[in-house]
Amino acid sequence: METSSHSDSDKETADLSVVINDHKHWFKSVLGLGALEAKLWVASSAQLLALMCGVIFLLLTTWLLIIATSAVIAWSYGFSLVGILATATLVTFVSAMVLLYLVRRTLKNMSFTRTLDAIIPSQEE
């Protein structure tokens, strides 16, 4: 009787070690997949960052060309060069202030507390 309970215990231990090894292999493959996804994400993010820098450069060039074209048209109609440059500076400054306001408003609205509350509900609820 002792022999059968001893062999059952050995069989359960062997089965448990097989299950543990299977879980280790599964966990290792999941971590490997996560690492691969992270590498792909970094590569895609670098490409996206480069493309966004190109877009920003082209938008900035377009903005400067619009100002230059407006200045040339105004000069051809007889406006003074100092007045044109002052107006262009003022328009650029006002545009920068509007963008700064939008950045501040966006940063103020970027609150991760709602996401955190959705993941981990607070005690008050």
Side-chain angles (χ1 to χ4, degrees):
M1 220 179 192
E2 251 181 60
T3 309
S4 71
S5 80
H6 185 60
S7 66
D8 286 343
S9 174
D10 287 343
K11 185 178 178 190
E12 287 176 4
T13 306
D15 288 343
L16 185 61
S17 70
V18 167
V19 169
I20 289 173
N21 282 335
D22 285 345
H23 275 81
K24 283 182 183 178
H25 289 294
W26 172 80
F27 189 65
K28 188 184 282 188
S29 66
V30 167
L31 286 178
L33 182 62
L36 181 63
E37 286 288 327
K39 287 178 185 177
L40 289 173
W41 189 83
V42 168
S44 297
S45 296
Q47 183 181 10
L48 182 64
L49 182 65
L51 290 172
M52 288 306 297
C53 286
V55 167
I56 290 169
F57 176 76
L58 290 175
L59 287 173
L60 181 64
T61 304
T62 303
W63 175 246
L64 292 174
L65 286 172
I66 288 171
I67 291 173
T69 303
S70 302
V72 168
I73 290 171
W75 192 39
S76 70
Y77 281 112
F79 288 97
S80 71
L81 189 58
V82 174
I84 294 170
L85 291 177
T87 304
T89 303
L90 183 66
V91 167
T92 304
F93 182 73
V94 168
S95 300
M97 289 297 112
V98 168
L99 287 177
L100 184 61
Y101 168 74
L102 292 174
V103 166
R104 283 185 181 170
R105 191 180 76 182
T106 302
L107 285 175
K108 187 177 178 183
N109 290 335
M110 282 180 59
S111 174
F112 295 107
T113 56
R114 285 180 252 154
T115 306
L116 188 59
D117 285 343
I119 296 171
I120 304 171
S122 64
Q123 298 286 342
E124 298 168 1
E125 293 179 358

